[in-house]
Amino acid sequence: MKNNIVYGSIFLVITIIGISILYVVYQNNYVYFDANKIHITLDNDVWVNKNVTVTVDYDGNMRIKEYSFDGGVTWQKSNKYTVDKNKKLEIVLKGSMGRKSTTVVYRVTNIDKELPLIEVDDNIYTAIDNDFDIANHYTVSDTLSGVKTSLISDVELINVNEIGEYTIDISVTDLAGNNANKSVTISVVNKKDPNLLENKKDDKIKNINR
């Protein structure tokens, strides 16, 4: 009776181990990766001026051993990958027995760490008592995420009725949150000043918020 119990226990253990081995073999050799079950998410999907974390999840029964974000050149245990600039990722998943998924191409296009560009005329002169528009003397741009706001501060301080130099600030913010500032000096001069020959963009002063 005692021997029967021992043999029975051994048989049960061997059976459980055998079933486990068969299950692992089945999962990794007969259950194939389904590309539609590979899900990729970002921790921030709008324009940002910082690193972005890419997370890869698999909805199927395949047990994932490693992840590659460069087409299988390098592998890592974590399903998270940090991206510091816009780039193309080639994501491959590897099962516990070495089976690999097809390559999924994913492009990260929401990182912008560059400041907006403010371009201002080198020298800005206007004749006393003339109308004047600072907007004719500068441009703003942002090649990645695009300009969100452009603001001129203290433009009301420019007095075209009095000769002198007036300094204003131009502030530009892009959609990623980067901010650029530039100080601009406008010279109000006598109508016979020779510098006016280089400045033919005069009209009315106005504050611009765009």
Side-chain angles (χ1 to χ4, degrees):
M1 180 69 177
K2 185 176 182 180
N3 288 338
N4 289 338
I5 295 175
V6 172
Y7 292 144
S9 298
I10 293 174
F11 176 78
L12 179 61
V13 171
I14 292 175
T15 301
I16 293 174
I17 293 175
I19 292 174
S20 299
I21 292 174
L22 288 174
Y23 177 78
V24 171
V25 170
Y26 173 77
Q27 288 293 326
N28 291 280
N29 291 279
Y30 296 97
V31 178
Y32 290 87
F33 278 102
D34 183 348
N36 294 323
K37 294 182 178 181
I38 298 176
H39 298 288
I40 303 166
T41 56
L42 305 181
D43 66 337
N44 201 326
D45 56 4
V46 297
W47 281 103
V48 292
N49 55 9
K50 57 186 178 181
N51 297 348
V52 167
T53 299
V54 179
T55 302
V56 179
D57 295 299
Y58 187 71
D59 287 345
N61 293 322
M62 182 74 72
R63 295 192 302 164
I64 309 303
K65 178 181 179 181
E66 292 180 308
Y67 301 81
S68 175
F69 293 85
D70 56 10
V73 177
T74 60
W75 296 89
Q76 62 181 50
K77 300 292 185 182
S78 174
N79 68 332
K80 297 182 183 296
Y81 184 75
T82 299
V83 182
D84 61 356
K85 61 183 179 180
N86 298 321
K87 66 186 302 184
K88 179 181 75 173
L89 301 178
E90 297 181 354
I91 300 171
V92 185
L93 280 59
K94 183 190 295 184
S96 58
M97 295 296 288
R99 181 176 295 282
K100 299 177 183 177
S101 71
T102 56
T103 300
V104 176
V105 175
Y106 187 86
R107 297 180 183 274
V108 178
T109 58
N110 62 328
I111 299 175
D112 176 7
K113 296 184 178 183
E114 298 181 5
L115 297 180
L117 180 63
I118 305 173
E119 296 181 285
V120 182
D121 291 349
D122 291 337
N123 299 290
I124 303 176
Y125 296 90
T126 188
I128 189 170
D129 297 326
N130 266 14
D131 289 335
F132 174 76
D133 188 353
I134 184 60
N136 290 330
H137 300 273
Y138 83 96
T139 59
V140 298
S141 60
D142 188 85
T143 58
L144 287 177
S145 59
V147 173
K148 181 179 181 181
T149 60
S150 177
L151 176 66
I152 304 174
S153 65
D154 300 326
V155 69
E156 67 278 0
L157 298 180
I158 303 175
N159 184 358
V160 294
N161 299 314
E162 185 176 335
I163 292 176
E165 291 188 345
Y166 302 88
T167 300
I168 63 173
D169 292 319
I170 300 173
S171 178
V172 181
T173 303
D174 66 17
L175 292 174
N178 300 298
N179 181 261
N181 295 279
K182 178 169 285 191
S183 294
V184 181
T185 299
I186 297 94
S187 299
V188 178
V189 297
N190 189 286
K191 293 183 178 182
K192 295 182 179 180
D193 192 299
N195 290 304
L196 291 177
L197 296 177
E198 302 177 10
N199 182 38
K200 299 179 180 179
K201 303 177 181 178
D202 294 344
D203 55 10
K204 188 176 181 181
I205 293 181
K206 57 184 178 180
N207 197 354
I208 296 178
N209 298 280
R210 60 184 180 191

